[in-house]
Amino acid sequence: MSEKEMSLLGHLEELRWVIIKSLLSLIPGFAIGWYYREAIMQILLKPLLDINPNFKPIVLKPTDVFFVYVKIAFVTGIVLASPYIIYQIWSFIEPALKPHEKKIVGRILPAAVLLFFTGLIFAYFTVFKIGTVFFWGFGGEAVAPMYGMQEYWNFTLAFLLPFGLVFELPIVVSILAKLGLVTPEFLKKNRKFAILLIFVIAAFLTPGPDIISQLLMAAPMIILYEISIWLARIVKPINRFEEEEVQ
């Protein structure tokens, strides 16, 4: 067997252990999520409970409760294990990076994780609550809202997770600016096209076809875009001389 083949097999073995360790790290978090499944569900239901303290989601199928609780436990496991999983991924790719790349990634990873959870928390306490109240009262007195447990869980994920992702926009722009692929002038010049794209993305990611939920998602994205322009001003593009200096 050649040295190249042995090296490839060695990397595959390392990757296999990274995957195994990452999957095993989900078990404690899953157990915690399962133990607190009802409390977590109550937190997700709080916007509706603030409207109607006696509200309880209905169950349309015998398996709904079980599978929703499994999903809650699984998502909790991912959230709690994410720092360890990120560390495992970093330990795998770190040897292949150049010194300046390690420096950049080492700064970006913590910021990316922080922004993702900031997006989730921001969405929960603002647009998620506003959207939930809006949809609850949208039908007026002509309808009596009755939400299925499975459908409400899907709605919650569809509303919160995209905000965690769109809050990564400043990170993406910072990377592009560092690589010299975008400039503040370019971002300002194409602001109107970016806003149009933001509304298209908001229409695609929001759980409903209504304009209200799309506006609730588009507004923070526009603000993040403006923040990204500011970040692009202060991020110094890396160049060949800088790479040599860092190395």
Side-chain angles (χ1 to χ4, degrees):
M1 183 178 294
S2 66
E3 182 178 344
K4 183 177 181 180
E5 290 174 332
M6 290 181 64
S7 177
L8 177 60
L9 290 176
H11 286 306
L12 291 176
E13 180 67 15
E14 291 179 5
L15 178 60
R16 185 173 74 91
W17 278 107
V18 166
I19 295 173
I20 291 174
K21 290 178 181 179
S22 298
L23 291 176
L24 290 177
S25 69
L26 297 176
I27 297 176
F30 183 91
I32 294 173
W34 183 261
Y35 183 80
Y36 290 104
R37 61 190 184 277
E38 294 184 10
I40 295 172
M41 192 65 195
Q42 288 299 307
I43 293 174
L44 299 179
L45 289 171
K46 191 175 186 307
L48 293 177
L49 293 174
D50 290 340
I51 303 173
N52 179 9
N54 297 319
F55 172 80
K56 291 182 180 181
I58 62 175
V59 178
L60 302 177
K61 294 185 294 185
T63 58
D64 278 356
V65 177
F66 174 78
F67 282 116
V68 168
Y69 282 158
V70 168
K71 293 174 183 177
I72 288 176
F74 183 70
V75 172
T76 303
I78 294 176
V79 170
L80 296 180
S82 58
Y84 180 77
I85 294 174
I86 292 173
Y87 169 76
Q88 286 295 320
I89 296 174
W90 168 253
S91 66
F92 179 73
I93 65 174
E94 188 264 346
L97 298 177
K98 297 178 181 179
H100 71 276
E101 292 173 335
K102 294 179 183 179
K103 187 177 180 180
I104 294 174
V105 176
R107 292 175 178 176
I108 287 175
L109 280 179
V113 174
L114 179 62
L115 282 174
F116 179 77
F117 287 110
T118 300
L120 295 181
I121 295 171
F122 169 82
Y124 175 80
F125 286 103
T126 55
V127 293
F128 178 64
K129 280 194 171 184
I130 295 172
T132 303
V133 172
F134 171 79
F135 290 128
W136 176 274
F138 185 76
E141 297 182 357
V143 297
M146 297 180 66
Y147 296 161
M149 191 174 186
Q150 184 78 250
E151 285 69 25
Y152 184 74
W153 166 256
N154 294 336
F155 170 81
T156 301
L157 285 186
F159 220 112
L160 296 182
L161 287 182
F163 274 92
L165 296 177
V166 300
F167 264 62
E168 302 293 333
L169 179 61
I171 295 293
V172 174
V173 172
S174 297
I175 294 174
L176 295 177
K178 189 69 175 176
L179 296 175
L181 299 178
V182 298
T183 63
E185 293 73 22
F186 174 83
L187 295 173
K188 290 178 63 177
K189 181 180 179 181
N190 294 278
R191 180 186 278 117
K192 58 183 179 180
F193 299 107
I195 292 176
L196 176 61
L197 180 60
I198 284 172
F199 275 98
V200 172
I201 294 174
F204 178 75
L205 292 179
T206 46
D210 60 285
I211 189 63
I212 300 299
S213 59
Q214 294 171 19
L215 288 173
L216 291 174
M217 175 166 286
M221 291 175 68
I222 294 173
I223 295 174
L224 288 170
Y225 185 81
E226 296 298 325
I227 294 174
S228 299
I229 296 177
W230 175 75
L231 287 174
R233 290 184 182 276
I234 64 175
V235 172
K236 180 182 178 184
I238 195 166
N239 53 52
R240 186 173 53 189
F241 300 104
E242 183 180 349
E243 289 184 33
E244 294 175 357
E245 182 180 347
V246 174
Q247 292 175 353

